[in-house]
Amino acid sequence: MCQKKPSMLLAGIGALGVVFGDIGTSPLYTFKTVLDMTGGDNAHTIYGVISLLIWTLIVVTTIKYAGFAMRIDNDGEGGILALMALLGVKRNKRPLIVAAGLFGAALIYGDGAITPAISVLSALEGLNIVKPALQHYVLPLTVLILLALFAFQSQGTARIGRAFGPIMAVWFITMAILGIWGIVQHPAILGALNPYYGLAYLLHSGGTGFLVLGGVFLCVTGAEALYADMGHFGAGPIKLAWSGLVFPSLVLNYAGQGAIVLAGAPTTGNIFYRLCPASLTLPLVILSTIATIIASQSIITGAFSMTRQAIQLGWMPRLKVSQTSEEGYGQIYVGAVNWLLMLVTIGLALGFRKSDNLAAAYGIAVSATMLMTTMLLFIAMREIWKWRLAASAIVAGLFFVVDASFFASNMTKLLDGGYVPLLLALLVYGVMYVWHRGIVALAMRLTEDPVPVDTFLDELTQTGVARVPGTAVFLTRAQATTPPVMQLYVKHTLALHKRVLAVTLDIASTPYIAARDRLALSEIGPNFWSITARYGFMERPDMPALMAQIATHGCPIDPKKLTYFIGMEKIVAREGPHRVPRLIRAIFTVMLRNCTRVTDYLRIPAHQVVDIGRQVSI
């Protein structure tokens, strides 16, 4: 046990910089936003708001995510896509579950665009307190920092990632100290730990209490990361970091902000910085800016990881995914996602100009994702934990009421900017739907009228097709039947290599596949090998590495002397009732034409590839 503690502690420190960046910087803007919505700073309001903030952290983050969601994993991986794959794919294909999971994932992209903008803006707004004349520089500096942040992504984050955890540890400790300093000025604020104050405020403040929930919810934006990043650190280190440092620091800081307001501190400007002595405000602004950059980095990296998962599961076009470090599988860069996020993020910063304005657009996407996660958790309680219906309904029902209340309150901000993340999510979901619909139609069309291998080999002999030296590799979706690309090649060349490998890549609904379970191969005809290679949705297939592994399993090949035959499809309209609608087909055609070449995605050496064009009607 003693030997495990240091590794647990180090992993927990590492999690501080990756998992808790978003939720850890929320005190910069949350209490100020809520106070502006209440329109008052009397004791009843302050006690009620602080109580709501603390108990939202307890119910949503500590109980729902750390206590329940993190106990359900897909072979160690968490997050809404992994949960969707576990419940909607592993346990038979269920379109409603898949749709809920995909839309929840699409909503996270909206969060990914807003988080960097609101975080950096809120941090730099501390310059207004240092010197009001600096207010005009906040927006330009925000844009410059965001530009630098996104431009840096292609270099990878392996080196700076080592510093993320310690820096965030300093940030959380600083927040705790500031909070304690505030509490000392009005110790009675600790009474807000009693949930009575939060409930009393909701019940006796009329419609204002309901509207305030939308602002209160900002304190748990980023809670989904506890679950989504579980595969990187494990549940233990994340829970240790949350309960040992993050949660206490957040509670102390929110209580401290409430205390200084009760003690008479002005509520103009950013209340977070009122906790700090004037002489230390500038250093705190610098630390806050660094913390928000780290928080933004975590969100961007999360978007990269989720994109790769969606590609592997067949719900997004192939995009170029670059591994930026050998130290960790999660160190990747997806250029298309990076630059699109940059354009949207900077556009949001320029459009909303202040963190207070941007807060109106924040929350809808995250609350909707949490609501869908709760629905999936209910199914997991029933099917994985085998809970009785009553127990599952009570626990999930509690989470549902909380999540639905936050979502409904956030929806009141729809016309004030809340439509932005929803539009982004609908756009991403549309891309996922069109790509998957097109890929499924294409696969079904290519596997129509399968030709048995025995029949095909007999026809080769009867027609006198020449067998030339060498080994040909044909990628195919059709297992145990003749690959369509091979039929097309033989038809036009009247020749075929002496040894043939028909390779099918199967992406499983689990994140990783053990090496011993990777391959299934058999010689189904003379020198005709049928090979199935299985990969998890967090893995990237590598054909040269796969061929090297095949050579050790009894298949006599030289990986450096292979010829890969790849089909290049041209999509045309199909006649009949089963054709894909025109608009979907047109968009899918554009996606297929512009996605990363399969040879690049599979790392196949260009000098070993032969492209074969074919026309496919869908």
Side-chain angles (χ1 to χ4, degrees):
M1 292 297 291
C2 293
Q3 294 179 345
K4 292 183 179 180
K5 286 183 178 180
S7 60
M8 174 80 77
L9 180 61
L10 289 175
I13 293 174
L16 290 176
V18 176
V19 180
F20 299 106
D22 191 355
I23 197 171
T25 53
S26 59
L28 282 164
Y29 49 82
T30 299
F31 184 62
K32 167 63 176 173
T33 299
V34 176
L35 213 58
D36 288 344
M37 297 172 73
T38 63
D41 54 3
N42 56 74
H44 171 71
T45 298
I46 299 301
Y47 276 86
V49 167
I50 297 300
S51 181
L52 285 173
L53 290 171
I54 292 172
W55 281 93
T56 298
L57 288 168
I58 292 173
V59 173
V60 174
T61 313
T62 303
I63 298 178
K64 177 185 171 181
Y65 280 102
F68 282 89
M70 293 181 70
R71 293 167 57 195
I72 304 172
D73 66 277
N74 188 346
D75 291 345
E77 291 291 329
I80 195 166
L81 270 184
L83 188 57
M84 177 209 76
L86 176 64
L87 299 175
V89 181
K90 269 188 175 180
R91 295 171 176 264
N92 300 319
K93 295 181 179 179
R94 295 185 285 191
L96 289 179
I97 292 177
V98 172
L102 289 175
F103 192 64
L107 286 163
I108 294 176
Y109 284 95
D111 176 34
I114 295 176
T115 295
I118 191 173
S119 298
V120 176
L121 269 173
S122 61
L124 290 175
E125 282 168 356
L127 293 173
N128 300 342
I129 296 177
V130 175
K131 192 174 182 179
L134 296 175
Q135 179 178 351
H136 301 293
Y137 296 97
V138 170
L139 188 58
L141 281 174
T142 297
V143 173
L144 286 175
I145 288 175
L146 291 174
L147 280 171
L149 174 66
F150 284 99
F152 176 75
Q153 297 304 311
S154 61
Q155 304 302 313
T157 57
R159 292 182 180 177
I160 196 170
R162 297 190 190 100
F164 281 2
I167 291 174
M168 289 305 291
V170 172
W171 167 252
F172 285 115
I173 292 171
T174 301
M175 280 205 304
I177 293 172
L178 292 175
I180 292 171
W181 184 83
I183 292 170
V184 168
Q185 298 182 53
H186 196 93
I189 191 64
L190 293 177
L193 292 170
N194 188 337
Y196 165 79
Y197 289 100
L199 292 174
Y201 179 78
L202 288 178
L203 295 174
H204 298 102
S205 57
T208 303
F210 172 73
L211 295 176
V212 160
L213 285 177
V216 170
F217 181 76
L218 296 177
C219 76
V220 288
T221 55
E224 183 84 16
L226 273 75
Y227 189 31
D229 290 324
M230 189 168 65
H232 294 287
F233 298 98
I238 292 176
K239 291 180 180 180
L240 175 65
W242 170 252
S243 59
L245 181 59
V246 180
F247 175 65
S249 298
L250 292 174
V251 170
L252 288 170
N253 195 267
Y254 283 124
Q257 290 187 52
I260 62 171
V261 173
L262 288 174
T267 57
T268 55
N270 194 317
I271 299 174
F272 175 84
Y273 289 108
R274 303 287 182 191
L275 282 171
C276 182
S279 60
L280 296 177
T281 302
L282 183 57
L284 182 60
V285 170
I286 296 172
L287 177 61
S288 301
T289 303
I290 295 172
T292 57
I293 290 172
I294 293 174
S296 303
Q297 174 64 56
S298 304
I299 287 291
I300 296 167
T301 302
F304 292 164
S305 296
M306 190 167 64
T307 299
R308 177 167 57 185
Q309 289 184 40
I311 292 172
Q312 296 292 73
L313 289 170
W315 287 97
M316 267 196 178
R318 292 186 303 272
L319 301 174
K320 185 177 180 181
V321 179
S322 303
Q323 194 77 32
T324 59
S325 171
E326 296 180 356
E327 297 179 11
Y329 184 76
Q331 297 285 347
I332 60 173
Y333 171 71
V334 186
V337 173
N338 183 66
W339 299 122
L340 287 173
L341 271 180
M342 185 195 75
L343 291 175
V344 175
T345 299
I346 292 178
L348 288 172
L350 292 173
F352 288 88
R353 305 186 70 81
K354 294 173 63 179
S355 63
D356 291 349
N357 299 334
L358 199 53
Y362 205 28
I364 290 183
V366 187
S367 58
T369 301
M370 289 185 176
L371 191 60
M372 292 178 184
T373 299
T374 293
M375 296 176 184
L376 296 181
L377 284 177
F378 170 73
I379 299 173
M381 290 172 187
R382 295 280 294 145
E383 297 186 359
I384 297 177
W385 291 347
K386 307 298 182 183
W387 281 16
R388 293 173 182 253
L389 178 61
S392 301
I394 291 173
V395 175
L398 171 63
F399 296 148
F400 182 84
V401 169
V402 173
D403 291 338
S405 299
F406 283 127
F407 177 69
S409 179
N410 275 296
M411 284 299 290
T412 62
K413 302 186 289 185
L414 186 64
L415 298 180
D416 295 325
Y419 60 87
V420 172
L422 291 181
L423 286 177
L424 290 172
L426 286 173
L427 181 62
V428 174
Y429 186 79
V431 169
M432 290 178 172
Y433 174 78
V434 170
W435 177 258
H436 191 72
R437 178 80 183 271
I439 282 294
V440 169
L442 181 63
M444 292 179 63
R445 188 62 167 155
L446 291 174
T447 54
E448 288 181 354
D449 303 321
V451 177
V453 173
D454 292 343
T455 303
F456 179 75
L457 293 177
D458 289 341
E459 290 177 354
L460 292 183
T461 303
Q462 295 171 8
T463 55
V465 171
R467 302 302 296 270
V468 298
T471 301
V473 179
F474 293 90
L475 295 177
T476 179
R477 298 180 180 89
Q479 299 182 21
T481 59
T482 307
V485 175
M486 185 192 300
Q487 298 178 51
L488 191 62
Y489 173 70
V490 171
K491 177 181 178 181
H492 288 288
T493 64
L494 298 179
L496 184 64
H497 293 65
K498 288 185 177 180
R499 184 178 295 109
V500 174
L501 276 61
V503 180
T504 300
L505 302 179
D506 180 23
I507 305 300
S509 60
T510 54
Y512 301 99
I513 297 295
R516 64 179 181 277
D517 300 324
R518 176 85 65 206
L519 282 175
L521 68 164
S522 60
E523 190 173 8
I524 59 178
N527 281 320
F528 192 110
W529 292 77
S530 175
I531 299 166
T532 299
R534 300 180 69 238
Y535 291 89
F537 62 77
M538 288 291 288
E539 298 177 290
R540 180 179 175 181
D542 184 319
M543 287 301 291
L546 177 64
M547 292 298 121
Q549 187 177 358
I550 289 172
T552 65
H553 280 66
C555 183
I557 61 171
D558 183 348
K560 296 181 180 180
K561 296 182 180 180
L562 302 175
T563 302
Y564 297 86
F565 291 86
I566 307 295
M568 303 291 291
E569 294 86 5
K570 179 182 179 182
I571 305 300
V572 297
R574 179 179 184 176
E575 301 297 329
H578 300 295
R579 63 184 177 184
V580 173
R582 179 183 299 177
L583 180 60
I584 293 178
R585 184 176 60 251
I587 298 174
F588 173 71
T589 301
V590 173
M591 289 182 184
L592 187 65
R593 187 184 304 129
N594 290 280
C595 70
T596 300
R597 283 171 50 87
V598 67
T599 51
D600 295 333
Y601 182 71
L602 298 177
R603 300 171 180 171
I604 301 175
H607 65 278
Q608 293 181 248
V609 176
V610 174
D611 292 326
I612 299 180
R614 51 181 171 175
Q615 187 170 280
V616 183
S617 59
I618 61 173

